[in-house]
Amino acid sequence: MNEERQMEYRKQIQKVIEKGPYKPDWNSFSHWRPPHWFSEAKFGIFIHWGLYSIPAYSNEWYSRNMYIQGTKEWEYHRKTFGEHKKFGYKDFIPLFTAEKFEPNEWAKLFHEAGARYVFPVAEHHDGFQMYRSELSCYNAYDCGPKRDVLGELKEAIEKENMVFCTSSHRAEHWFFMGHGKEFDSDVKEPMKRGDFYWPAMPEPDFQDLQSNPYPSEEYLDDWLLRTCEIIDRYQPSMLYFDWWVQHEAFKEPLKKIAAYYYNRAAEWNREVAICYKHDAMMFGCGIVEVERGKLADAKPYLWQTDTAIANNSWCYTDTLEYKTSRQLIQNFVDIISKNGNMLLNVGPKGDGSIPEQDKKVLKEIGAWMHQNAKAIYGSRPWRKSEEGNTKEVQGQFTDQKEVAYTKEDIRFTTSGDSIYAFVMKYPTNGEVTIRSLAVSKDQNAPEFHGMIRSVRILGFSEEPNFRQDEMGLHVKTHSVASDLPVVIQVQIC
């Protein structure tokens, strides 16, 4: 996109903002509401796949860390690929041919896993665009695979009746390649806008939201144009921003992007949302996001956690530490009981194939999801989200360890005429007491005062015995056994 075309595009963006119902002011978003489809969907798939999948070493920050002298990535790169000035990060582009990339197979697998929406990363911190772009030639359509990866995934995802979403992690590129200027590497001046490594500035203090070097107006303009290009070309139903957009410099362009995106959605007659972390947006203007963690209590607002199948990387590496399907499902159950959604990341290999362990975990999750679909999709939190003594840990980066649940730990959702009780660790003797469904001792302030019509166990043919007293609803089964959460459907008259 030449300068003249960029100028025209800026005018178009401004025109859409001026004509639409949303303006670049947080007050203007007060009548925005989260999409209905998002509250129904509960489970989505995140995809981290790009140039970093070729070295497949350590994690998706390889492009930054390989230029920091003395790091394990720096040493690995020199040993495996040679000196940085002769083989830099850009030299992975010709190796990224994606010869085994089959978007329809990906989409079928994600659908089988029970996902209702999918979030491929459009551009990560490394600056390589996984989509067709007019703003830089360093994209998957013009080099590397020479395919519009994002466009092909959108088509495949929608063919499987899932919702297409996407994310931009471009903001951090301001400094991501900056360490390459500290020694003799291929990251060197002169650089200009549109170059792969541009601008490669010194790394700021991540915790300082006003840190220098302050992103330049030229860089912020480029970020805005790239994001709007994604919005217009692919019309995602949800847009996700990673962490550095909370920096003060991004506040004004982020408001413009939000206004532009929400106004475009009004033109499309679509419900959309922006996911954000770290209070980057004013509360109520988008979906609150918690990275690799969750909220400990039920909330009156929708929220989302993004986490990964592996503990130690978002992208594929040959040293992944996988979570079990049980750990992921238990985490998911706790999240939806508290009005949240879970976005689960997979990392395809550099050639475009999905690792076998990822497939195994996704299929195990899918089997459980389909068995218990009535308690999940379209459900809402009940008046109580949980019972039991196990305390949940709140906050980011808190989901690496598997929680030791007991038979006392139960999570709740509700849908239609039923309350669904998820027994997090089903007892081997088949005896469960749901204390929240006890006959109330206080008729003036009952915790539960409904009449129970029937009790069923989702996915099992056995009709359980049940009785209710002041201690709770007692359920007894003989043949029900599972290492995964078991769902008891309590139908109310």
Side-chain angles (χ1 to χ4, degrees), residues 89-100:
Y89 189 69
K90 70 178 185 306
D91 295 299
F92 287 116
I93 295 175
L95 305 181
F96 187 38
T97 57
E99 64 272 18
K100 295 183 180 179

Side-chain angles (χ1 to χ4, degrees), residues 48 52-57 59 313-320 322 346-350 355 358:
H48 278 66
Y52 42 80
S53 306
I54 297 299
Y57 182 79
N59 57 48
S313 177
W314 291 88
C315 77
Y316 172 76
T317 74
D318 58 6
T319 56
L320 293 178
Y322 281 95
V346 300
K349 292 183 178 182
D358 290 59

Side-chain angles (χ1 to χ4, degrees), residues 24 46 107 156 169 296 373 388 407 410 445:
F46 213 178
H169 306 229
K407 66 177 183 177
I410 299 174

Side-chain angles (χ1 to χ4, degrees), residues 86-119:
K86 295 180 180 178
F87 192 105
Y89 189 69
K90 70 178 185 306
D91 295 299
F92 287 116
I93 295 175
L95 305 181
F96 187 38
T97 57
E99 64 272 18
K100 295 183 180 179
F101 172 49
E102 297 290 346
N104 291 322
E105 290 183 9
W106 286 21
K108 288 176 182 177
L109 175 64
F110 301 152
H111 185 266
E112 183 182 350
R116 294 294 175 89
Y117 57 105
V118 184
F119 260 98

